[in-house]
Amino acid sequence: GMEEELRQSEARLAQLYNEAPVGYHELDREGRIIQVNQTELDMLGYTAEEILGRHVWDFMVESETSSKAFAAKMAGAMPPGKGFERTYRRKDGTTVPILIEDRYVKDESWRVIGLRSTMQNITERKKMEQELRESEEKLNAIVNSASANIHMLDKDCNILWTNQSTRNAFGEDIIGRKCYEVFHRKKE
């Protein structure tokens, strides 16, 4: 009957909550974790008992920054965060970069009673960003140490970028100028 259907839909909701692809927790007005899903527990290596009732910033490297930001959000001096980063400390002592989204939790009379957050582990993304930076630096070093003149132009022959060799030969201030004025020393 109705009760059985309700029980099943509650079980489905609980399963969705716990198996969500993102970590998820709810904080009370004091910043204590009052609800947490399995994804977040797995991410951080704790059991629910070890996390529930503790301040969320106890698990962060930036604990002071985080507790101040939480107080500001509760006071209405700062909006809930959209996609900000914090470094969490796992139970085993290792750290993990987390992307967080906050929303207010409100009671029936629309009073703010806490925060609800989603958490994404962005370790892979950070690693890729770092690798991209390193390969860009390597490429820049190679291009700048080349003895050939290397430059980049847009379709209108404006100079967008040059390597050091080009700057040495034609001067430092050639970015933005017409290629034919600089390289052929003549006006159109």
Side-chain angles (χ1 to χ4, degrees), residues 109-135:
S109 53
W110 291 94
R111 214 168 46 99
V112 172
I113 56 168
L115 273 187
R116 194 175 277 147
S117 309
T118 57
M119 320 240 303
Q120 269 174 292
N121 180 345
I122 52 171
T123 304
E124 281 309 306
R125 195 172 92 185
K126 304 276 287 184
K127 207 173 86 192
M128 281 166 65
E129 283 170 2
Q130 180 60 28
E131 285 167 7
L132 184 64
R133 260 195 308 276
E134 285 166 10
S135 65

Side-chain angles (χ1 to χ4, degrees), residues 11-25:
R12 264 200 309 275
L13 260 176
Q15 186 183 3
L16 275 173
Y17 179 79
N18 276 310
E19 294 172 10
V22 292
Y24 190 88
H25 65 239

Side-chain angles (χ1 to χ4, degrees), residues 68-80:
K68 282 184 178 146
F70 179 82
K73 288 169 191 175
M74 286 297 110
M78 186 177 169

Side-chain angles (χ1 to χ4, degrees), residues 26-30 74 105-107 111-115:
E26 204 167 297
L27 309 175
D28 67 10
R29 282 200 62 87
E30 313 302 316
M74 286 297 110
V105 180
K106 296 176 177 172
D107 64 14
R111 214 168 46 99
V112 172
I113 56 168
L115 273 187

Side-chain angles (χ1 to χ4, degrees), residues 63-116:
S63 53
E64 199 177 325
T65 308
S66 179
S67 67
K68 282 184 178 146
F70 179 82
K73 288 169 191 175
M74 286 297 110
M78 186 177 169
K82 291 266 180 286
F84 61 98
E85 254 180 67
R86 292 278 188 258
T87 311
Y88 272 72
R89 200 172 274 109
R90 290 194 181 104
K91 190 179 178 179
D92 66 9
T94 60
T95 59
V96 55
I98 300 281
L99 188 70
I100 304 170
E101 287 246 344
D102 281 339
R103 293 217 174 16
Y104 281 132
V105 180
K106 296 176 177 172
D107 64 14
E108 301 77 44
S109 53
W110 291 94
R111 214 168 46 99
V112 172
I113 56 168
L115 273 187
R116 194 175 277 147

